Each structure stands twice: as structure tokens, then as C-alpha cells.
Amino acid sequence: MKKLIPVLLLCTFAVSAARSSSVPSAVSPPVELRTRVDTVSYLLGSLYVRFNFTELEFFRETLDLEVFLAGISDGVYGTVMDLVYDEDELDDFLNAKYEAYRAAREAVLQAQISERMAAEGFFPLGNGMFYMIEREGTGPQATSLDQLVLFHLIEYDEDGDEQSDTRWYDGPEEATVEEMLDFFGYDFEKLLTEGALFRIRKRYYDSWYDYEDDYYEDSSSVRFDEAQFEILRIGEPQ
């Protein structure tokens, strides 16, 4: 349903203030803060933006900032224009712009991650994972989904600290080839050779935020969960 809503309500398209993006240097010369009122006025304006708009780059690229600031000024002076618009249509417009912005950022980030992994000796495995062969297997390869795989597993957290090691605790793990492929993806099968030793890395997402809300400035700040597999035995097909 169409409503008469002031332009200033565009500011309600804001996300949580839990995180804030870095702000580049202002294009115009910095304002001179001569009095306490100047300082408070500047702080209120800058903090309002930083606490309500965490994705500042997105808003700089999407909005006409001159018009946006004019809307804020009109709101302060009580001269806001009443515009007829559909709230759902506005949300759809902003969401479409935001998804395109996020997709472009993610594509750049994924390219950076691939370059970083390649430099460290890891290769793409699919499903956002990477692998590194530390020792080639010389025994039988997995050929059937019902084959039982016996393996040692060492798991590391996103900070590189060891979390578990079946060589010292609980003994080797067992899983069928199908179970392993269901978890790691079908490209994982090429690694299942008796005697092989390899590592798997998967991008780590902070548990405080949803998958879609985890932001990184560049690949250097991305962390990974990591596991080392040693394939001890590939069982006979059932």
C-alpha cells in the first residue's frame, strides 16, 4: 500500500551497529571545530552515519550523497517533501542494489583467496574447500560408495590450534566413501587413496554472524578451518 512518508525515512534502511566499515579521507577539506558546539555537532553527525550505516562503501556507491544530505538538512529544518512511494518497492530496489554490490565484492574476495591458497600450495576442491597433498598414496583407490575408509584425522581451528588428533585419542575414524563425499563433496573422492596424507581447508565463518553477514576487507583477514587426513586403509567394495 502506498503511503506518504518523508524522504528522511530512507535512513531506516540501516543494519546493526555491531561492526563498522573504515571511512576514507573526506574529499572536501575538514571542517574547523572552533567551539564545543562545533565538536558536538560534528560528532552527532558522524556517529549517526557510522552507527546506522555499517556498509558505508555500498551507500556511497548507491546513493546520491548530495541529495541524501539535502534530505537530512530538510528534516532538521522541518521542510521535508512528502513523497508517495511503495515501501516494498523501495526495499526491493535497495536489496537488489545490495545483492549486486555483495556479489561483486565476494567475487573479488574469492579470487584473492584462490591466489592466496595457490601461493601456500593448496588447490580448489569444490564447495569452497582447498586441498594440499603432503604424501601421495600408493595403495588402492576408492572406487565404490560402499567401501569403508579407515583414516586418522587431525583437526585445527580457525586460529591454527590443534583441536583433536585420532592418533592419540579414540583411534582411527571409519566412514564409508559415500558418507565422506556427502560431507566434503564428490571431488573429495580423488584424494581417497590408501597411504595418502593431505590437508583440507574450508573458509571459516564467524559464529557470531550469519553466513551472509560475514564481511572481510580482503583475503588476508579470512581464516580457515583445517584438517589433516591420513588414509590408512580402503576396504573392499561390499
Side-chain angles (χ1 to χ4, degrees), residues 148-155 164-167 169-176 179-180 228-233:
L148 196 63
V149 181
L150 184 72
F151 58 94
H152 276 308
L153 175 64
I154 306 174
E155 296 179 290
S164 65
D165 186 343
T166 60
R167 295 174 304 175
Y169 305 102
D170 300 328
E173 296 275 357
E174 276 188 331
T176 64
E179 289 170 336
M180 298 185 83
Q228 183 189 57
F229 289 81
E230 182 179 14
I231 308 302
L232 302 177
R233 185 174 68 246

Side-chain angles (χ1 to χ4, degrees), residues 160-214:
D161 297 324
E162 185 179 305
Q163 297 297 299
S164 65
D165 186 343
T166 60
R167 295 174 304 175
W168 314 117
Y169 305 102
D170 300 328
E173 296 275 357
E174 276 188 331
T176 64
V177 171
E178 182 174 23
E179 289 170 336
M180 298 185 83
L181 299 191
D182 283 344
F183 189 83
F184 292 103
Y186 280 89
D187 287 340
F188 190 76
E189 185 174 8
K190 66 185 179 184
L191 303 176
L192 297 180
T193 302
E194 196 170 291
L197 183 69
F198 57 87
R199 290 177 180 265
I200 298 292
R201 279 185 181 175
K202 184 173 178 63
R203 184 171 163 186
Y204 168 78
Y205 290 91
D206 196 321
S207 60
W208 282 101
Y209 308 116
D210 292 335
Y211 176 92
E212 293 295 334
D213 290 334
D214 209 358

Side-chain angles (χ1 to χ4, degrees), residues 120-140:
E120 296 178 18
F122 283 80
F123 300 92
L125 183 63
N127 293 337
M129 291 185 286
F130 297 84
Y131 73 95
M132 179 175 66
I133 301 293
E134 295 183 295
R135 184 180 68 220
E136 294 284 354
T138 58

